[in-house]
Amino acid sequence: MNTLAGPQNVESAKEGANRWSALLAKLSVDDLTDHFLNRVLRVPGYDILPLPSSEIRRTGAASFAALIRGLHQGNEGSSGRAERLAIATHVGVSRARAGIPIESLMTAIRLDFSILWGELTSIADDADAGLLVRHTDRVWDMVDSYASQTQTTYMAERERMHNEESSVRQGYVAALFGEMRPPAEMLSHIADELRIAETAPLCVALAIGKEMAGLRVVVASAAQRDAEIFTHHLGDGLVAFWPCDERPGSAVQEAASQISNLRLGLLKAVQGIADLPDAARLARELAHLLTPEDSEALTMPVAWARIARLRLAASGSPITADVDAALARCGVGERARLIEGVRVYLSSGSIAASAEALFCHRNTLMNRLRRFADVTGVDVTVPQQAARLVVAWA
């Protein structure tokens, strides 16, 4: 049958509480802090003194004092929790700003338990064994709670730092594409802030419409591997640029390979950040030249003829009006065969490869090319004359 605690149990509990308070009173914050410093300065991340030793000592002493006050039975009110939270907040913020790795910080904080517990066991008597066992969880829970609060604050501060840095860096990226080009001195500063050489060869991609989603996915995947690809919304498109990196297997090289498989405009080896605005405009032009037949990025080696055709057309200069008029005098069947033969030949410049693609004898193809020259006056075996058709039919 259960009964209320008798006088002897009450007296025993009171004696235990008094003995626990007596043990805590014997703890020296200065000695605990000295032990902590001796050990924490050997923890990777702390061994190069990222903070003044006076700061580490000050916060170490404050945390031990707060933990000891909290361990006194009946002294765990809201003020005690608020005190430890204030210390945890300061430690989390200052260590995040100092660049101490989170693993090192957690190792340092959990030293508090081993040092505190080691000191308690050294000053306790054999008769205190049961008392220590009863308080083990309490000591650990308090240290662990302090560690969790510090970790939460640290991670929040790191996120804040990342957002601040991203915002500043995004501002520099935006300045590169502003209406007014940054002066040379500003360009040099921006390059330093973005951690790229001012004249480093850059790759520039621009996606429009629904293709922007694919580009964002590649950029995010690269960031997970610590490879930074800079992005900026420019008019109707998303422009991305990064230092060229051809090292096989590098995160940037793999991202570049993935981007080349997207339907967007792509320029390689742009010479430095000063040329980025012009490169972005040209990349946009390439993106707008994509056709349903294009399944990957459009580059200048592939699209130069399309651009030339559009610009010549915009200038009002007819490119092949004479050729079209001459071909119109041929019968429909002959005209189709001549155009097919010339197009296939222009794609490779090889009689043998073109004849194979057309499933005809090479002499048959050569006869078609000669006939085309007779009709139009354009000999496609002469590069200068063939260039006109390459542009017109791009």
Side-chain angles (χ1 to χ4, degrees):
M1 180 176 178
N2 292 331
T3 61
L4 296 175
Q8 289 184 337
N9 290 334
V10 173
E11 186 67 24
S12 177
K14 184 176 181 181
E15 289 177 358
N18 289 338
R19 179 56 181 165
W20 177 247
S21 294
L23 289 176
L24 294 175
K26 290 182 179 181
L27 293 173
S28 166
V29 170
D30 287 340
D31 289 345
L32 292 170
T33 306
D34 286 340
H35 292 325
F36 175 75
L37 279 175
N38 288 336
R39 293 178 63 178
V40 78
L41 295 181
R42 295 195 294 270
V43 173
Y46 278 84
D47 50 359
I48 57 174
L49 283 180
L51 291 167
S53 58
S54 59
E55 163 66 9
I56 299 176
R57 172 178 285 279
R58 186 185 69 78
T59 54
S63 63
F64 278 122
L67 289 170
I68 292 170
R69 280 192 289 272
L71 287 171
H72 277 283
Q73 192 163 337
N75 192 36
E76 180 54 6
S78 59
S79 61
R81 289 191 293 271
E83 179 188 22
R84 290 195 301 279
L85 178 59
I87 298 170
T89 300
H90 173 79
V91 170
V93 170
S94 62
R95 275 44 172 183
R97 292 283 171 178
I100 294 175
I102 185 63
E103 297 82 3
S104 301
L105 176 60
M106 291 297 98
T107 299
I109 291 177
R110 290 195 168 98
L111 284 176
D112 290 354
F113 175 81
S114 61
I115 291 171
L116 192 59
W117 194 250
E119 196 68 12
L120 276 170
T121 56
S122 70
I123 61 177
D125 298 331
D126 291 342
D128 295 321
L131 181 67
L132 291 176
V133 169
R134 290 195 298 275
H135 285 84
T136 302
D137 286 345
R138 179 173 172 77
V139 176
W140 174 252
D141 287 345
M142 188 162 292
V143 173
D144 193 55
S145 174
Y146 170 66
S148 297
Q149 291 168 343
T150 306
Q151 182 180 33
T152 299
T153 304
Y154 176 99
M155 298 306 293
E157 188 64 18
R158 290 296 297 177
E159 180 67 18
R160 189 176 299 110
M161 291 168 62
H162 174 74
N163 291 338
E164 288 173 359
E165 183 180 6
S166 295
S167 178
V168 171
R169 287 159 73 84
Q170 202 60 40
Y172 285 125
V173 170
L176 292 172
F177 299 97
E179 292 184 7
M180 298 292 293
R181 291 202 177 191
E185 195 171 305
M186 184 62 177
L187 281 176
S188 179
H189 178 67
I190 292 175
D192 289 341
E193 290 295 327
L194 299 183
R195 302 188 188 97
I196 58 177
E198 187 175 351
T199 57
L202 303 173
C203 295
V204 181
L206 189 140
I208 57 177
K210 64 180 181 181
E211 306 299 336
M212 290 191 287
L215 181 56
R216 290 194 188 97
V217 170
V218 175
V219 171
S221 298
Q224 292 176 354
R225 295 185 59 188
D226 294 325
E228 186 164 23
I229 296 177
F230 303 96
T231 59
H232 178 68
H233 281 278
L234 198 61
D236 62 346
L238 177 67
V239 63
F241 66 92
W242 62 95
C244 299
D245 185 353
E246 299 300 329
R247 293 174 299 164
S250 72
V252 172
Q253 193 274 337
E254 289 186 6
S257 178
Q258 293 171 4
I259 289 174
S260 69
N261 289 321
L262 300 176
R263 284 170 41 83
L264 44 69
L266 178 62
L267 296 177
K268 300 179 180 179
V270 175
Q271 294 304 309
I273 62 173
D275 290 341
L276 276 175
D278 291 337
R281 281 190 287 272
L282 185 52
R284 174 191 276 112
E285 192 169 354
L286 290 171
H288 280 285
L289 287 173
L290 286 162
T291 67
E293 289 72 33
D294 293 312
S295 59
E296 57 187 17
L298 197 58
T299 62
M300 281 300 294
V302 174
W304 70 268
R306 298 186 200 180
I307 294 176
R309 173 173 55 80
L310 290 176
R311 291 184 177 175
L312 283 171
S315 70
S317 303
I319 307 174
T320 58
D322 57 332
V323 174
D324 295 337
L327 289 172
R329 292 193 289 269
C330 298
V332 175
E334 182 185 25
R335 183 166 65 247
R337 286 192 298 273
L338 293 179
I339 292 175
E340 180 188 39
V342 171
R343 280 185 177 277
V344 173
Y345 172 75
L346 289 176
S347 68
S348 68
S350 167
I351 293 291
S354 300
E356 184 178 354
L358 291 168
F359 302 103
C360 68
H361 194 276
R362 56 182 294 139
N363 290 340
T364 301
L365 176 59
M366 291 175 66
N367 289 335
R368 290 182 189 177
L369 299 184
R370 279 196 293 268
R371 173 60 177 163
F372 186 89
D374 292 339
V375 171
T376 65
V378 178
D379 185 350
V380 294
T381 63
V382 177
Q384 187 174 19
Q385 296 183 38
R388 191 153 63 104
L389 295 179
V390 171
V391 171
W393 291 350

